[in-house]
Amino acid sequence: MTAPTDEQELELLVKQMTLEADGVLSLRLTHPAGEELPAWTPGAHVDLTLKNSLVRQYSLCGDPADRHSYRVAVLREQAALGGSEYVHEGLRPGHRLRVIGPRNNFDFLPAKRYVFVAGGIGITPLLAMLTEAERRGADWELWYGGRRQESMAFLDELASYGDRVHVIPEDISGRLDLAAALPAHEPDTLVYCCGPEPLLAAVEEHTASWPAGALQVERFKAKQVEIDPDGEQAIQVECRRSGQTVEVPADVSILDALESAGISVSSSCRDGICGTCETKVLAGTPEHRDSLLSPSEQESGATMMICVSRARTSQLALDV
């Protein structure tokens, strides 16, 4: 993964809204003038600016071959900060939304066989992967778990794939059985998983002995990272392109410190999961606290998410 560049910002029309399941609403977005939209690949997401400049990321779950519309799906969350509530209660067809992207932190890599594991709204980034796997002629199967069948989105759409799709509503069939879904590592097979943190943690534990890269995951919420506030140290960040050196106090993020110094850096989630603030590291050693970079990417130290990560060295040089 590399830091995003040349992302496009568009104002798109909410063309259609569809209730896909209890609490899940899909939006179909089009260009007001009917123009083609930027191309995207399976696993990509876009940033939507909702009410009061609130920005939220949503996976694209349509067909990448459709250049005239984007589809996203939004779960109504009871404990949300207003984004999903606004989509469900305030947004209507005909409204316009500011859209940035697409950006892909969940690349769909080539393989002979795929196993997809989804939990709840985690089905969204996998839908386009199923379409692409079909185009490639790859062997695949999907294991899709949810709390209730009525709350599981896109079931009619998935039914067309036949017995390769295993739908497991917890209230009827119990929890998704990882031993059945992932009995053993198979060569030339990739596992793609998206869903709530307990599912991701369970799948990561289940596949811990598998080769690096065999499991690909995407998180909607940041992993819990234990931080000792008393162990935090101030650091110095040299911003090579801006020609400034910024002192970052122990209790301030690198992103916040750079913004306070007048250095503009693209950002969105500020939780280390969206990739918007990914920045090239030119010198120094990052201390990674994100939920996005793979272990090998973190070990390389080539980039970092400056919204949450800090440094193991007293100084960093960044390409900002």
Side-chain angles (χ1 to χ4, degrees), residues 97 137 142 148 157 179 260 278 283 307:
L97 292 176
L142 166 69
R148 298 180 298 110
E157 198 169 303
S260 295
E278 184 177 4
C307 62

Side-chain angles (χ1 to χ4, degrees), residues 111-187:
K112 291 183 179 178
R113 182 173 181 271
Y114 300 94
V115 180
F116 301 102
V117 181
I121 198 63
I123 188 63
T124 51
L126 304 184
L127 290 174
M129 294 185 182
L130 304 185
T131 300
E132 183 61 23
E134 285 285 280
R135 286 198 182 105
R136 297 179 185 178
D139 182 23
W140 64 268
E141 61 180 329
L142 166 69
W143 296 77
Y144 179 19
R147 292 182 179 177
R148 298 180 298 110
Q149 186 165 326
E150 294 79 10
S151 67
M152 298 175 70
F154 304 107
L155 292 184
D156 290 344
E157 198 169 303
L158 292 169
S160 64
Y161 292 119
D163 59 8
R164 283 181 293 178
V165 173
H166 309 276
V167 176
I168 305 164
E170 189 174 334
D171 62 336
I172 298 173
S173 307
R175 291 189 176 182
L176 196 155
D177 183 357
L178 292 182
L182 304 169
H185 173 255
E186 298 181 26

Side-chain angles (χ1 to χ4, degrees), residues 39-86:
W40 60 282
T41 55
H45 70 268
V46 291
D47 293 354
L48 301 187
T49 301
L50 305 173
K51 65 173 184 177
N52 299 325
S53 299
L54 185 68
V55 178
R56 290 291 180 265
Q57 296 80 40
Y58 297 104
S59 297
L60 290 170
C61 57
D63 184 349
D66 177 8
R67 293 294 304 278
H68 287 89
S69 71
Y70 289 157
R71 184 177 69 169
V72 300
V74 181
L75 170 67
R76 182 165 191 173
E77 299 182 83
Q78 298 301 319
L81 298 176
S84 68
E85 180 184 4
Y86 171 72

